Amino acid sequence: VQLVESGGGSVQAGGSLRLSCAASGVSYSTYCMGWFRQGPGKEREGVATIESDGSTSYADSVKGRFTISQDNAKNALYLQMNSLKPEDSGMYYCARARVTWSARQALDLMTRANSYWGQGTQVTVSS
C-alpha cells in the first residue's frame, strides 16, 4: 500500500488549501481513511476521518472549517481546508486503517502501528 499526499503549501491566515492523497496497492475496502497532522513541538493529532460509507469525524479545532471527502473510484482522499489559522500549520499525513473502526474511533486510535501512512505534505499558515 502506498499513500502519496499533495497540495500542501504556504498561505496567509484566512486562506484555503486542498490536500489530496492518492492510494495505490489497495482496493476499495471498509477501513477508515483519515488526515492527521503534527505541528512543530506538538504531538500528532487526528484532523478528520471518513468511513467507507461516507461517515465522518472531525477534531473540534477544525469543525466547520475543514471537509474530508473520498473518491472510491479513484482511490483518492481529500481535505478541503478553509479559514486557515497559524495553529493549523504542520505536516499533514494521509492514513488508512488496517483495523475496522468507526470514524470517531479512528480519529483517536490510528497510529503507524495499525495503519498505513504517507510521507506527509507541509502546510504553513502565516499570520
Side-chain angles (χ1 to χ4, degrees):
V1 175
Q2 186 176 19
L3 303 173
V4 180
E5 303 94 336
S6 62
S10 297
V11 295
Q12 290 191 328
S16 298
L17 284 173
R18 187 183 190 228
L19 305 184
S20 298
C21 173
S24 59
V26 57
S27 57
Y28 174 80
S29 76
T30 59
Y31 296 125
C32 284
M33 293 195 71
W35 290 97
F36 297 77
R37 68 185 180 190
Q38 187 165 15
K42 298 181 180 179
E43 293 188 356
R44 188 198 73 249
E45 64 173 335
V47 176
T49 50
I50 187 167
E51 298 179 35
S52 58
D53 67 357
S55 300
T56 58
S57 186
Y58 294 91
D60 288 342
S61 59
V62 307
K63 283 180 181 177
R65 300 188 297 123
F66 290 12
T67 303
I68 188 172
S69 62
Q70 61 188 357
D71 185 332
N72 292 326
K74 295 182 178 179
N75 276 346
L77 183 72
Y78 306 100
L79 185 69
Q80 178 65 44
M81 305 187 294
N82 298 328
S83 302
L84 282 161
K85 304 175 181 179
E87 51 264 43
D88 294 318
S89 296
M91 187 69 77
Y92 281 69
Y93 299 93
C94 169
R96 203 209 79 170
R98 290 186 284 164
V99 178
T100 300
W101 289 311
S102 68
R104 185 61 189 94
Q105 292 172 322
L107 196 65
D108 292 331
L109 298 177
M110 286 176 69
T111 68
R112 292 189 179 274
N114 56 38
S115 307
Y116 298 105
W117 289 73
Q119 294 299 307
T121 185
Q122 180 69 38
V123 172
T124 303
V125 185
S126 58
S127 58

